[in-house]
Amino acid sequence: MIVLLLFLRRIISDMERLFSNLTITVHPKIYLKDPESSDLGLRIIEHSILLVDEIGFEAFTFKKLGQRIGSNESSIYRYFENKHKLLLYLTNWYWGWLEYKLVMETYSINSPKDKLKQALEVITRPVETDASFSHIDEIKLGQIVVNEFSKSYLTKEVDDENKEGYFAIYKRLIHRVRDMILESCPDYKHPASLASTVVDGALHQHFLMDHFTSITDCKKSSPPTVFFKHLVLNTLNIDA
Amino acid sequence: MIVLLLFLRRIISDMERLFSNLTITVHPKIYLKDPESSDLGLRIIEHSILLVDEIGFEAFTFKKLGQRIGSNESSIYRYFENKHKLLLYLTNWYWGWLEYKLVMETYSINSPKDKLKQALEVITRPVETDASFSHIDEIKLGQIVVNEFSKSYLTKEVDDENKEGYFAIYKRLIHRVRDMILESCPDYKHPASLASTVVDGALHQHFLMDHFTSITDCKKSSPPTVFFKHLVLNTLNIDA
DNA sequence: GCAAAAATAATAGTAATACTATCAAGTATC
DNA sequence: GATACTTGATAGTATTACTATTATTTTTGC
C-alpha cells in the first residue's frame, strides 16, 4: 500500500515536472530574440494573440501592439523582423502544442484503429484551454489559426521559408496522422493526402460554421469531429 | 436527310450563339464600372491575372498594374474600389466559369452516380484553358484561386460581404455538388460538408503538390482527382 | 462635322504602414 | 561602480492606398 502510494506520488511529481518545465519549441530563426526569455517578450505573445483575434491580421501592426502593452514599436522589432514572422511564431506554437496533445492522448492506445480515432478527435475538436501556458489564450489562438494560418504559407516566399524549416512542425503533425492511418490500413494509397485534408478541412469546417453555414452540416450539436470520423473510417473501410 | 442536316445546323448555330454571347456574370456591386464594358476594363482584368500570378496578391498594386497596361492608377480606381474587390471579381469569375463547366459536363448524365463522378472530375482536375474568353488566362486564374482565394474570405468583413452576396456563386457551386451527393446517397448526413471539403481540399492538394510534397500523395501521375474520387465514393459506399 | 458628354490621364496631396537608424535612459551583472 | 544589455523615444524614409482636382482625349448624338 505504501509502495503504491509512493509510486503514484512519483508519477504525479514526474508529471508536474514535465508540465512545469514544458515549453513548446519554435524554430529559432523565426524570431530575433526569444520572446520566452523576457517579460516583454511574453507580453508581446500574449497581447498579439488578443489583438490579432480582435482586429484581424491585416489591421494588426506593431505600433498598435506597442500602444496596447505600453511599449514601443521599436522594442517589438527587436523580437520579430515583421508581423509575418510573428504570425509564423504563433502558428508554429499552435501546431507544436497540438502535436503535443496528439502524442499525449494517443501514446498509450495500442489498437491502431482506436489510436487513429483519438487522433481525429484531437485534430478536429474545438480548441480547449490549457492551464500549462499562462501567457497563451489557446481558444483565441485557435481562432487565429482558423482565420490566418493559410496566409502564413500562401505567399511568394513559401518555398524559401519551407526550406528554412518554418513549417516543419506542421508537416510533422501531418506525418504523424499519416502514419496512424497507415498502421490502421497499410494498403491505403493516399495516407498523406487524407491526413492533410483532415487537418486543413477541420480548420475550414470550423470557419464555415461561423460564416458560411449553408455549405456545411457541422454545428455545435454535430461538430466537425463527427463528419471527419465518418469520412476517414469509411474511406479506410474501418467500422466505427 | 435534309431535315436532319437542318436540325444539326440549328443545334450548331444555337451553340455558337451560346458560346459567342457567353459571359460569366459577376455580382455588380463588386465593381464600380463593369470591366467587360470597355477596352480598358478588359485590359485591367487580363493583366491583373498575369500580374497577381507573377508577384502575388500582397505585392500587387493598382499603380504597378497601371504601369503595366500603360494606364493610370486613378483610371483603375474607377473600375474597382480597391484590390480586394478586384480579387473578389477574379475569383467570382472563376467560380462562375467552373459552375458553367460543371453544369455543361454533367447535364446530360442520367445516372446520379456517374453524374457525381463527373462532377468530382470537373472540380478536382487541373484547370484547362477555354478559348471562349480571350481576355482570361484560365490556367493562371486557377493558380490565383489556389493561392489567393482564401484571402478573399478570411477577413473581418466576411459577414458583411457575404450578406451582400459576394460569395453567392461559390456557395451555389457547392450546393450543386451537395445535391448531387444527396441524389447518389439520400441518407448521407454530411453532404454539404463533404462538398465543401472536396472543393476546398482540391485547391489545397494542388497547393501541396507545388510546395509541400511530403504531406500529399498527389502528383502528376496520380492527381487529386484520384484521391477525391476514392474518398467520396468510399465515404458514400458507392463502388467505383 | 461639331458640341456635349463621358472616359481617361496627369498631378498633387494625405494618412497610414512598415520599417531603419540613432540616441537616451534604465536595469542587471560582475 | 563600470559595463553591457534592454528598452524607450524620436525622427526619418519609401511605399501603399487611397482622394481630389484638373486637363486631355475619345465617344456620341445631332
Side-chain angles (χ1 to χ4, degrees), chain A residues 71-108:
Chain A
S71 182
N72 198 278
E73 195 189 1
S74 61
S75 303
I76 300 168
Y77 274 105
R78 288 207 188 81
Y79 286 83
F80 295 99
E81 275 177 67
N82 50 49
K83 68 174 180 173
H84 175 246
K85 285 282 178 77
L86 174 54
L87 178 61
L88 284 174
Y89 184 92
L90 296 180
T91 55
N92 259 269
W93 196 97
Y94 176 83
W95 294 117
W97 176 73
L98 197 65
E99 184 193 28
Y100 155 80
K101 292 261 167 185
L102 180 75
V103 171
M104 283 286 150
E105 295 189 34
T106 58
Y107 189 74
S108 59

Side-chain angles (χ1 to χ4, degrees), chain B residues 5 45 57 74 83 107 236:
Chain B
L5 266 175
I45 299 308
F57 186 65
S74 61
K83 69 175 180 172
Y107 190 73
L236 302 178

Side-chain angles (χ1 to χ4, degrees), chain B residues 33 71 75 78-79:
Chain B
K33 180 180 169 168
S71 181
S75 303
R78 291 209 186 77
Y79 286 84

Side-chain angles (χ1 to χ4, degrees), chain B residues 33-63:
Chain B
K33 180 180 169 168
D34 185 358
E36 304 238 24
S37 72
S38 75
D39 190 61
L40 177 63
L42 291 171
R43 286 161 54 72
I44 288 171
I45 299 308
E46 178 180 358
H47 289 274
S48 65
I49 292 171
L50 304 179
L51 191 54
V52 170
D53 183 53
E54 253 177 55
I55 65 177
F57 186 65
E58 275 68 45
F60 172 88
T61 67
F62 281 0
K63 195 171 188 179

